[in-house]
C-alpha cells in the first residue's frame, strides 16, 4: 500500500481532442515503447513514446465503427497479434502492416517502430524477416529516419559517349559490403559486374559496337542504371544515366551547344567525341575540357535577321546578298559555294561567291513556276565544299512572285502594290502589271474608268445606317481615291477605311434620307464615273402587323413568325420582345414575314413591345409575347422497343401545349463510356399533359450488335437514355438524375416468316389467319402489330412470341393496283417501323348459289341419302386433314418449351458464372495469375508427365567416380556446336531402326535444354532440318501429312522451339483468356454434381463425361474455420468429404498457387456443431454400409450436415488405437468427442458415388441412350462457356503488334517452301501452317493449362478442354465434315461455331501473309531476348551426358556417316568424335558442370 500527502504530477505525453480513450496495452520492440489505445468510437490508435515527455501517433485503425473498445485488449504470446474486443466482436489484428509501404522513404518516414527497410530485399519488413539484420553496421535493415535510405547520390562521369567504354563510379552511402553486385542498364538489357570502391561501387559501361546496340537517330538516351544484388536478385537502388552519340548531331549549332563532350569538325562538317582525326578548324562544346573555340557562336551560319528580304521576280536573273558569320575559307580540295532554291516542283541551283567571312553572293538564274498564284515562298539553301549544308538561324525563304498575278491583271491593284510593296517594283505598263525593268513602255499612274459588278444590300431604312458593299474593278488604288466618291440615290455614302480592298471592294454607310425613295449607286474617281445599272437602291420604311404564336416556354427556343410589309429591308436585322432578344433566321426573311427564335428568361411573364431593328433603327409593334413555364416530364411508358424503332411511347407531364415541335431521341452508350445520340422522331401532343412519341431507329451497326448479343451471348438488351427536344428547354434533353425512369430497352427486331405454301399463297378457309414469326413479343404487343390484306385490315386478336393470329375481312379484298398483276392480295405485316410482305392469300369459302325451288326439291328428294354420305365423308376428311396440323402444333409447342428451358438455364448459369468470374477477376487483380516461372514451364513442356529428371541434378557418381569426364563433356559440347556434326548426328540416328519415337522426343528435348541459352543456333539447326523435311514430304504422295505427327526429331524440336519462344507471349497476352476459360469450366462444373469415382458431371462439354443420372443437389453454405479465420464456402449436399475439402481449399487459398497449398490428404474435416458434438467427416468409415459388393462414398448428406454448419479444417497430427487395440489411421480432433474409425479397404469391394458403373467396356460398347435432358445439359454448358471460348480463340488468332515475330517467320518459310517446289494447292500450305502452330503448340497448351499455370486440373476440366482443343483443330481443317445422327457430340455441339472459327483462322493466315517480312535483325533480337530468359537452373552437363548415350550406342554408324560427308571430312569431325569418345570413357576425377 502506497500512502502520502503529496500528489504525483506528470504532464501528458499525448493529448487527444474530442476523443474518449477506453483501453490501453503497452509493449516494447526495437528499443521503443508502443501504446495501443482504444477509443469510444471504435478506433485503435498506435502511439510510440519518443521520450518521457513526448509521444507520436503513427497509425489509426477502425476496428468496429461507433462501438467502444473494451478494456480487455491483449497480445498473443509472441506479441505478433493484438486481440481487441468491442460489445459484439472480438478482432485479431496484426501489430504492424509493414508491407503496405513500397519505398524506403515511405517506410521510414511513417515512424512505425516495428518496420524497417530491408535494403537488399527492397521491401519494408520486420527486423526478423530481413536476412543478416542483426549487425547494424551491415546496413541490411534500416530503421529510424528517412535519410538513412540507401540510394545512388552521384555517378561519375555523369554522361558517357557510346563510342567509348568507361568505368562508372557510383557514390552509394551505407552500401552493404557483404554481397556482390552488378550494374544493370535496364533499357539496354545489359549488365556488368560491379566492384567496391571507397564511396560505393564501380562498373564498366557497355561496348555499344560489340553488343550491336544503338541509339538510332537520337543524340542521347537516358536509361535506368540499377544495382542488382546477386544475393537477392533485386534491383534495390536506381538512378538515371545518359548515353550520347555525337555523330547524331547534324549541325554545328546543335553540336557545339550540347551539354555533352562533343566537338564540331568544320571541314568534316560532322560532330565527334574524339577529334584527333579532324583537320584544322574545331569548335568545342561547352562541356569539352580541351582548349579552342567554344560554343555555337563560332559556327558558320547565315543570319536571317541581318539578311535583307529576298524577292525574286519570275524570269529575271538577280544577285542576292546573304549575311552571316564564320563562312569557311575554301581551299583547292573543296568545291565552291552553291545556292539552291526549291519551288516545290523544281530546284534551281546558282553559283555563289564568298566575299568575306560574313558575306556571300548568289547569282540567281531565271526562275519560273506553274502555279496560278501571285507569290511563292521557296526554301533557299546554301552548300559549300563537298555538299556541306550551311546552316541558317531560321529557314531562309526567297519570295518568288509574278506581278500580273499579284495584281489580278488590274491596274488599280498594280498601282496599290507600288504603294504597299515597293520592294517588288511592280508597275502598270504595256497594258499589264510588270516588273518595272521589264517594261517596254512608260508606266502609268492612273487607271481606266471604274466598273461596278455587284451591290448588296439593295435596300435600307429611310433613317440611313445601312452598310452597302460595292464590288467591281478599278475601284481606286488607295482609300483617298474613293473617300468622297460614293453616292446612293444622290445621297453620300461614307466608305470604311479598314473594309476597303483596293480596286475590288468598297464598303460604305448610307446616309439619312428621311423619305421613301430609290436611285442608282455611283462611284466617281478622277474624271471617270461608274453606275450600277442592274438594279436601284430603295430607301423604305418597314411596318410590323402581327406575330404567331404568342406563347412559348421561358427557356426559349420557340420559332416566332413576324408578319408585316417591307420586312426584307437593310443588311442587318435584329428582333426583341421587350428587352429580350429574339434571334432572326436570315434565310426566313421575305418582304412580308420573317422568323426569329426566342431566347430564355428567368420568369414566365409577358414581354412587349415587339421590336425589329434594321441596321440599328428601331421599328416597334404594340403586342405581347407570353413566356410560359417550361414543360416537365413525369412518366414514360412502355420502356421497350424493337431495334428498328417506331413503337409509340406515352409521355405524361405538364405544360406541353406551348411546344411547337416536340421530338424524342436516345443516347446510345459506346464501349469507351461515351454516348452518341440517335436521330430524333416527331412527337404528337394530345393535350397539355400527354404526348405520344415513336421510338427512334437504332443505327444499322448498333442493330446488328443487338441481334448478335441476343443470338450468341444471351446478354441483356441494349439500354439507352431517352431525351427530348422541346424548343430550347435543356432540362428534358437529359433526364438522367431527374428521378424519372427514362431508360429504354432495345431488343432485336422480330422476324415474320413468309408463307410456306406454294408461291407463298395461303389458302384461307374462313378461319383465323395465322402468321408465324420469332421474337414477336420481346418489345411489342398486339396494338403495335398491323396486318393488311390488300388495303383492308386483318384484325389482330392474339399475339404470342411465335405467332400472329388475326381475323381477315369476310370477303377477299382485291389486289392492290401495281401488285405485278397478281390475282390475290398481298399480306403485309407491320410491326412498328418494320414491314414484311409474307405472301398472298386466296379465299376458299364456298360460294352461295341461288337455285330454283323446283330444283332444290328434286335434289332433296333424289339425293338425300347421298348428301348424308357426302357429309360423313367430309367430316372424316376434315378430321384427318387437321390431325397432322394439330400434331405439328403440339410438337412445336414442346420444342418451344424445350428451347425456352435451355435458354433460361443458359441465362441463369451464365449470370451466376459471370458473378463468380467477376469475384475471380478481382482476386486475379490482387494476386495475379499463377504462372509457372520460365524454368518450370520449360521442364513441363519438354518433359511432360515427369516430376524428376537427370537435368535437374549434377552428374551422379557411380562406385565413387563420375561416369564421364569433364574434358569429354566439354569436347562433346564443342562438337555439337558444329552444325555439320549435329545435323549428321540427327540424320544418322533417325535412320536406325532401333531409334524409337520416345528416343526422338528425348533427343529433341535434350537439345533444346542444351541450346536454350543460344536460340539463334537452335533456330539455324531447326531451319536446316525443316528444309529436309519439306523436301521429303513433297517427294512423297501425301505432302499434307507433314508435321501431322511426331515421327522425327525435327517435328518435336519445332514444338519445343515454339513453346520456348512463345512463353513471354503466353504470360503477357494469351495466357489470361486461357486461365479465365479454365476457371470458368471449373466453376461451372462444380456448380452441379460431379461423380467422385468416374469424374462424370452434370455440366460438361464432353458426352463421355456427362452424368446420366437425375440428381437434384442442395446448395449449402458452410462456415469453415482454418488457421483462426472463418470463411463461407459453397458446397453441394451430394459432395463427398474429399470434394467438399477441395472446394473449401479453393475458397480459402484462392490467391495461393496450387503447389503452395496444403494437400487435401493432409487435412481432415470436422463438423464442429454436429448432432452429438464435434464429428470428424470421412469418405469411408466403419459404419458405411456395403450392399452387393458395392460401397458408396460418404457424402455430406450422409452425415445430415445442415446449411450454415460450422466446419474446421484440421491438420493431421496423430494416430489413435481402435477399440480392439490396433493402430488406425483416423485422426482425433482436439474438439472431437470421439473419433470415427476408418475401415481398411477390401479388394473385393467396389466403390461408387453417384452412379454405379460395371466397367468401361459396357459403357462404351453399349447402345447410347441419350435423352433430351442430357443434350440440353451439353447445350447449356456450351452456351454458358461460349464467351470464354470465343475470347481464347480470339487471343490465339490475334495479329496485332504483340504477335511474336517467329510466327510470321515460320509461316513465311512455309510459303516460300511451297513456292519453291511449285505447290499450287492452297490447302497444302494451309495444312502445314495448321500442323505447325495450332496443332503443335496451341492444342497442346489448351489441353494442358497446368504446363503454364500452377493449378490443379480435374478430370472433368481435362475432358472439357479436350473438346475445346478438338473444336480448334476442326476449325483449322479445310475439309468439310458432313454431320449426321452418328457424328460425335462435340462436332454437333460446335457445328455452327466452327464455320465462324474457320473464317477467323483463314483471316489469321491471310493477315500474317500480308504483314511486312521479319528482318534477320529483328528475328535475332527476339531470339536473343528468349535466350536471356534462360535461368541456368538445368545442368547442361547432365543433358550432355544423357545425349552422349546415343553417341555411344550408334558411334559406328555416326563415324561412318561423318567419313562419307565432304564437309565433315574437311573439318575432321570424325577424328574429333573419336577424341570425344576416348575422353568420355576414360578415367577422370573431375565433375563437369556446364
Amino acid at each position: 500500500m502506497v500512502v502520502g500527502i503529496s500528489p504525483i504530477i506528470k504532464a501528458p505525453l499525448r493529448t487527444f481532442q474530442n476523443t474518449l480513450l477506453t483501453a490501453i496495452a503497452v509493449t516494447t520492440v526495437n528499443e521503443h515503447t508502443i501504446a495501443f489505445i482504444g477509443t469510444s468510437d471504435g478506433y485503435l490508435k498506435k502511439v510510440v513514446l519518443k521520450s518521457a515527455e513526448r509521444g507520436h501517433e503513427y497509425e489509426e485503425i477502425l476496428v468496429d465503427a461507433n462501438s467502444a473498445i473494451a478494456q480487455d485488449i491483449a497480445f498473443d504470446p509472441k506479441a505478433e497479434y493484438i486481440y481487441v474486443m468491442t460489445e459484439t466482436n472480438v478482432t485479431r489484428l496484426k501489430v504492424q502492416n509493414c508491407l503496405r509501404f513500397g519505398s524506403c522513404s515511405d517506410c521510414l518516414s511513417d515512424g512505425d517502430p516495428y518496420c524497417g527497410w530491408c535494403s537488399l530485399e527492397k521491401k519494408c519488413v520486420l527486423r526478423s524477416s530481413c536476412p543478416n539484420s542483426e549487425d547494424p553496421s551491415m546496413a541490411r535493415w534500416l530503421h529510424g529516419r528517412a535519410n538513412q535510405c540507401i540510394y545512388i547520390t552521384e555517378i561519375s562521369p555523369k554522361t558517357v559517349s557510346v563510342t567509348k567504354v568507361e568505368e562508372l563510379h557510383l557514390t552509394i552511402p551505407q552500401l552493404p559490403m557483404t554481397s556482390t553486385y552488378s550494374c544493370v542498364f535496364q533499357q539496354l538489357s545489359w549488365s556488368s559486374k560491379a566492384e567496391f570502391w571507397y564511396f560505393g561501387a564501380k562498373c564498366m559501361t557497355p561496348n555499344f559496337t560489340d553488343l550491336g546496340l544503338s541509339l538510332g537517330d537520337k543524340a542521347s538516351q537516358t536509361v535506368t542504371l540499377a544495382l542488382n544484388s546477386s544475393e537477392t536478385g533485386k534491383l534495390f537502388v536506381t538512378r538515371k544515366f545518359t548515353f550520347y552519340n555525337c555523330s547524331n548531331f547534324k549541325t554545328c549549332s546543335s553540336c557545339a551547344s550540347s551539354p555533352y563532350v562533343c566537338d564540331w569538325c568544320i571541314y568534316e562538317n560532322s560532330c565527334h567525341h574524339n577529334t584527333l582525326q579532324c583537320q584544322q578548324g574545331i569548335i568545342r562544346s561547352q562541356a569539352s575540357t580541351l582548349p579552342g573555340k567554344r560554343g555555337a557562336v563560332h559556327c558558320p551560319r547565315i543570319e536571317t535577321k541581318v539578311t535583307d528580304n529576298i524577292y525574286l521576280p519570275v524570269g529575271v536573273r538577280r544577285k542576292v546578298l546573304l549575311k552571316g558569320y564564320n563562312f569557311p575559307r575554301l581551299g583547292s580540295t573543296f568545291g565552291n559555294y552553291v545556292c539552291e532554291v526549291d519551288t516545290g516542283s523544281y530546284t534551281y541551283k546558282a553559283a555563289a561567291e564568298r566575299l568575306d567571312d560574313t558575306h556571300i553572293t548568289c547569282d540567281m538564274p531565271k526562275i519560273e513556276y506553274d502555279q496560278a498564284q501571285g507569290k511563292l515562298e521557296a526554301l533557299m539553301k546554301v552548300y559549300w565544299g563537298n555538299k556541306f549544308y550551311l546552316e541558317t538561324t531560321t529557314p531562309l525563304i526567297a519570295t518568288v512572285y509574278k506581278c500580273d498575278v499579284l495584281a489580278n491583271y488590274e491596274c488599280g491593284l498594280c498601282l496599290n502594290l507600288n504603294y504597299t510593296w515597293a520592294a517588288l517594283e511592280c508597275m502598270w505598263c504595256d497594258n499589264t502589271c510588270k516588273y518595272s525593268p521589264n517594261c517596254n513602255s512608260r508606266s502609268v499612274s492612273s487607271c481606266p474608268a471604274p466598273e461596278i459588278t455587284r451591290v448588296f444590300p439593295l435596300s435600307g431604312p429611310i433613317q440611313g445606317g445601312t452598310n452597302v458593299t460595292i464590288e467591281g474593278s478599278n475601284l481606286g488604288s488607295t482609300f483617298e481615291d474613293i473617300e468622297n466618291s460614293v453616292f446612293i440615290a444622290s445621297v453620300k455614302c461614307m466608305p470604311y477605311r479598314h473594309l476597303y480592298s483596293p480596286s475590288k471592294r468598297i464598303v460604305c454607310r448610307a446616309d439619312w434620307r428621311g423619305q421613301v425613295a430609290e436611285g442608282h449607286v455611283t462611284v466617281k474617281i478622277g474624271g471617270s464615273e461608274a453606275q450600277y445599272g442592274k438594279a436601284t437602291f430603295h430607301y423604305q420604311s418597314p411596318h410590323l402587323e402581327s406575330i404567331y404564336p404568342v406563347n412559348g416556354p421561358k427557356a426559349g427556343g420557340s420559332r416566332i413568325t413576324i408578319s408585316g410589309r417591307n420586312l426584307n429591308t437593310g443588311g442587318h436585322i435584329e428582333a426583341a420582345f421587350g428587352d429580350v432578344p429574339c434571334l432572326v433566321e436570315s434565310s426566313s426573311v421575305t418582304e412580308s414575314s420573317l422568323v426569329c427564335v426566342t431566347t430564355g428568361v428567368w420568369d414566365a411573364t409577358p414581354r412587349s413591345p415587339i421590336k425589329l431593328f434594321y441596321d440599328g433603327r428601331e421599328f416597334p409593334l404594340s403586342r405581347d409575347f407570353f413566356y410560359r413555364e417550361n414543360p416537365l416530364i413525369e412518366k414514360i411508358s412502355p420502356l421497350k422497343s424493337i431495334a428498328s424503332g417506331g413503337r409509340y411511347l406515352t409521355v405524361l407531364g405538364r405544360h406541353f401545349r406551348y411546344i411547337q415541335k416536340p421530338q424524342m431521341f436516345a443516347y446510345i452508350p459506346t464501349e469507351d463510356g461515351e454516348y452518341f445520340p440517335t436521330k430524333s422522331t416527331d412527337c404528337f401532343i394530345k393535350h397539355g399533359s400527354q404526348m405520344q412519341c415513336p421510338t427512334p431507329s437504332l443505327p444499322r451497326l448498333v442493330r446488328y450488335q443487338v441481334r448478335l448479343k441476343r443470338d450468341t451471348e444471351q446478354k441483356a438488351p441494349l439500354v439507352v437514355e431517352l431525351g427530348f427536344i422541346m424548343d430550347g428547354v435543356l432540362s428534358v434533353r437529359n433526364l438522367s438524375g431527374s428521378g424519372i425512369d427514362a431508360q429504354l430497352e432495345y431488343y432485336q427486331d422480330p422476324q415474320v416468316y413468309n408463307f410456306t405454301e406454294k408461291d407463298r399463297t395461303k389458302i384461307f378457309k374462313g378461319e383465323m389467319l395465322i402468321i408465324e414469326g420469332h421474337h414477336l413479343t420481346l418489345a411489342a404487343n398486339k396494338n403495335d402489330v398491323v396486318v393488311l390484306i390488300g388495303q383492308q385490315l386483318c384484325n389482330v386478336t392474339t399475339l404470342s412470341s411465335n405467332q400472329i393470329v388475326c381475323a381477315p375481312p369476310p370477303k377477299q379484298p382485291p389486289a392492290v393496283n401495281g401488285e405485278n398483276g397478281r390475282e390475290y392480295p398481298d399480306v403485309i405485316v407491320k410491326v412498328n417501323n418494320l414491314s414484311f410482305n409474307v405472301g398472298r392469300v386466296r379465299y376458299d369459302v364456298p360460294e352461295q348459289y341461288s337455285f330454283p325451288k323446283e330444283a332444290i326439291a328434286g335434289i332433296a328428294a333424289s339425293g338425300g341419302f347421298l348428301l348424308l354420305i357426302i357429309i360423313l365423308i367430309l367430316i372424316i376428311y376434315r378430321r384427318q386433314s387437321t390431325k397432322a396440323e394439330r400434331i405439328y402444333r403440339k410438337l412445336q409447342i414442346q420444342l418451344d418449351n424445350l428451347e425456352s428451358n435451355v435458354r433460361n438455364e443458359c441465362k441463369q448459369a451464365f449470370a451466376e458464372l459471370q458473378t463468380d468470374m467477376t469475384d475471380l477477376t478481382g482476386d486475379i487483380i490482387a494476386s495475379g495469375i499463377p504462372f509457372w516461372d520460365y524454368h518450370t514451364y520449360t521442364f513441363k513442356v519438354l518433359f511432360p508427365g515427369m516430376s524428376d529428371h537427370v537435368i535437374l541434378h549434377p552428374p551422379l557418381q557411380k562406385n565413387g567416380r563420375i561416369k564421364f569426364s569433364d574434358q569429354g563433356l566439354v569436347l562433346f559440347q564443342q562438337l555439337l556446336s558444329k552444325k555439320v556434326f549435329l545435323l549428321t548426328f540427327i540424320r544418322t540416328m533417325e535412320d536406325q531402326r532401333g531409334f524409337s519415337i520416345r528416343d526422338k522426343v528425348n533427343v529433341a528435348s535434350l537439345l533444346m535444354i542444351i541450346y536454350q541459352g543460344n536460340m539463334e543456333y537452335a533456330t539455324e539447326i531447326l531451319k536446316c532440318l525443316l528444309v529436309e523435311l519439306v523436301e521429303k514430304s513433297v517427294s512423297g504422295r501425301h505432302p499434307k501429312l507433314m508435321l501431322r505427327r511426331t515421327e522425327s526429331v525435327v517435328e518435336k524440336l519445332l514444338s519445343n522451339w515454339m513453346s520456348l519462344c512463345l512463353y513471354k507471349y503466353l504470360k503477357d497476352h494469351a495466357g489470361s483468356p486461357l486461365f479465365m476459360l479454365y476457371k470458368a469450366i471449373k466453376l461451372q462444373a462444380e456448380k452441379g454434381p460431379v461423380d467422385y469415382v468416374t469424374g462424370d458431371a452434370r455440366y460438361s462439354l464432353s458426352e463421355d463425361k456427362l452424368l446420366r443420372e437425375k440428381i437434384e443437389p442442395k446448395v449449402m453454405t458452410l462456415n469453415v474455420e482454418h488457421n483462426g479465420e472463418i470463411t463461407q464456402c459453397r458446397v453441394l449436399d451430394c459432395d463427398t468429404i474429399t470434394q467438399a475439402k477441395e472446394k473449401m481449399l479453393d475458397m480459402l487459398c484462392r490467391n495461393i498457387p496450387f503447389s503452395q497449398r496444403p494437400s487435401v490428404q493432409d487435412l481432415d474435416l470436422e463438423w464442429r456443431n454436429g448432432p452429438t458434438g464435434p464429428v470428424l467427416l470421412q469418405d469411408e468409415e466403419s459404419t458405411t454400409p456395403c450392399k452387393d459388393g458395392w460401397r458408396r462414398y460418404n457424402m455430406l448428406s450422409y452425415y445430415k450436415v445442415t446449411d450454415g454448419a460450422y466446419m474446421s479444417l484440421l491438420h493431421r497430427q496423430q494416430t489413435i488405437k481402435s477399440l480392439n487395440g490396433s493402430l488406425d489411421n483416423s485422426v482425433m480432433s482436439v474438439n472431437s468427442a470421439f473419433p470415427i474409425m476408418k475401415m481398411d479397404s477390401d479388394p473385393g469391394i467396389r466403390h461408387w458415388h453417384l452412379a454405379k458403373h460395371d466397367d468401361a467396356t459396357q459403357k462404351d460398347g453399349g447402345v447410347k441412350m441419350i435423352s433430351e435432358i442430357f443434350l440440353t445439359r451439353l447445350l447449356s454448358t456450351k452456351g454458358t462457356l461460349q464467351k470464354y471460348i470465343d475470347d481464347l480463340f480470339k487471343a490465339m488468332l490475334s495479329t496485332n503488334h504483340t504477335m511474336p515475330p517467329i510466327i510470321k517467320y515460320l509461316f513465311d518459310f512455309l510459303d516460300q517452301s511451297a513456292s519453291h517446289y511449285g505447290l499450287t494447292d492452297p490447302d497444302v500450305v494451309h495444312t502445314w501452317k495448321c500442323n505447325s502452330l495450332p496443332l503443335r503448340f496451341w492444342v497442346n497448351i489448351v489441353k494442358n493449362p497446368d504446363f503454364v499455370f500452377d493449378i490443379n486440373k480435374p478430370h472433368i476440366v481435362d475432358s472439357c478442354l479436350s473438346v475445346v482443343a478438338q473444336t480448334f483443330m476442326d476449325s483449322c481443317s479445310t475439309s468439310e465434315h458432313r454431320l449426321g445422327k452418328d457424328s460425335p457430340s462435340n462436332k454437333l455441339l460446335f457445328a455452327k461455331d466452327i464455320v465462324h472459327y474457320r473464317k477467323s483462322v483463314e483471316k489469321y493466315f491471310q493477315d500474317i501473309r500480308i504483314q511486312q517480312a521479319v528482318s534477320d535483325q529483328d528475328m535475332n533480337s527476339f531470339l536473343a531476348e528468349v535466350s536471356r530468359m534462360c535461368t541456368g537452373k538445368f545442368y547442361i552437363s547432365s543433358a550432355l551426358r544423357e545425349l552422349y548415350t546415343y553417341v555411344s550406342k550408334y558411334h559406328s554408324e555416326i563415324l561412318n556417316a561423318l567419313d562419307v560427308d565432304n564437309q565433315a571430312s574437311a573439318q575432321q569431325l570424325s577424328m574429333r568424335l573419336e577424341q570425344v569418345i576416348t575422353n568420355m570413357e576414360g578415367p577422370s576425377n573431375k565433375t563437369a558442370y556446364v
Side-chain angles (χ1 to χ4, degrees), residues 372-418:
Q373 59 190 64
K375 62 176 181 175
L376 178 70
E377 304 288 339
L379 182 63
M380 186 173 181
K381 295 182 179 180
V382 179
Y383 296 91
W384 63 279
N386 298 320
K387 197 63 177 179
F388 294 154
Y389 171 65
L390 183 62
E391 64 178 292
T392 60
T393 53
T394 59
L396 187 62
I397 301 299
T399 301
V400 186
Y401 63 95
K402 301 176 180 179
C403 288
D404 52 352
V405 179
L406 279 175
N408 198 25
Y409 306 96
E410 293 184 15
C411 175
L413 284 180
C414 186
L415 296 183
N416 183 262
L417 283 176
N418 200 25

Side-chain angles (χ1 to χ4, degrees), residues 453-632:
T453 58
R454 185 185 179 205
V455 176
F456 60 93
L458 286 170
S459 66
I462 59 176
Q463 294 89 343
T466 302
N467 289 334
V468 180
T469 300
I470 304 170
E471 295 180 350
S473 60
N474 293 324
L475 299 178
S477 56
T478 64
F479 181 75
E480 286 73 16
D481 292 342
I482 53 91
E483 186 173 10
N484 298 300
S485 303
V486 183
F487 297 89
I488 296 178
S490 303
V491 176
K492 189 175 182 180
C493 189
M494 298 302 297
Y496 293 100
R497 181 183 293 273
H498 65 284
L499 297 178
Y500 173 61
S501 177
S503 183
K504 286 177 171 292
R505 185 177 65 248
I506 302 172
V507 180
C508 63
R509 181 174 53 83
D511 208 348
W512 181 85
R513 176 72 181 190
Q515 60 183 359
V516 175
E518 66 174 305
H520 289 286
V521 177
T522 58
V523 177
K524 298 178 181 179
I525 299 177
S528 303
E529 177 180 324
Q531 185 180 90
Y532 186 58
K534 294 181 181 180
T536 57
F537 186 90
H538 294 263
Y539 279 101
Q540 53 194 28
S541 179
H543 177 70
L544 284 63
E545 295 176 349
S546 63
I547 65 169
Y548 180 83
V550 296
N551 299 280
K554 65 180 182 181
S558 301
R559 299 180 78 252
I560 309 301
T561 300
I562 303 175
S563 301
R565 299 190 308 273
N566 297 328
L567 299 186
N568 58 346
T569 298
H572 180 67
I573 307 173
E574 294 179 349
F577 298 166
D579 56 351
V580 181
C582 187
L583 307 178
V584 176
E585 295 180 352
S586 58
S587 60
S588 69
V589 178
T590 66
E591 194 276 336
S592 60
S593 67
L594 59 82
V595 176
C596 70
V597 180
T598 60
T599 56
V601 296
W602 287 104
D603 54 341
T605 58
R607 295 294 198 275
S608 65
I610 308 301
K611 294 181 287 187
L612 289 181
F613 298 88
Y614 288 89
D615 296 327
R617 313 304 181 184
E618 179 180 331
F619 295 85
L621 174 65
S622 297
R623 299 286 176 86
D624 288 334
F625 179 81
F626 297 90
Y627 279 100
R628 306 293 184 175
E629 291 294 336
N630 290 334
L632 297 175

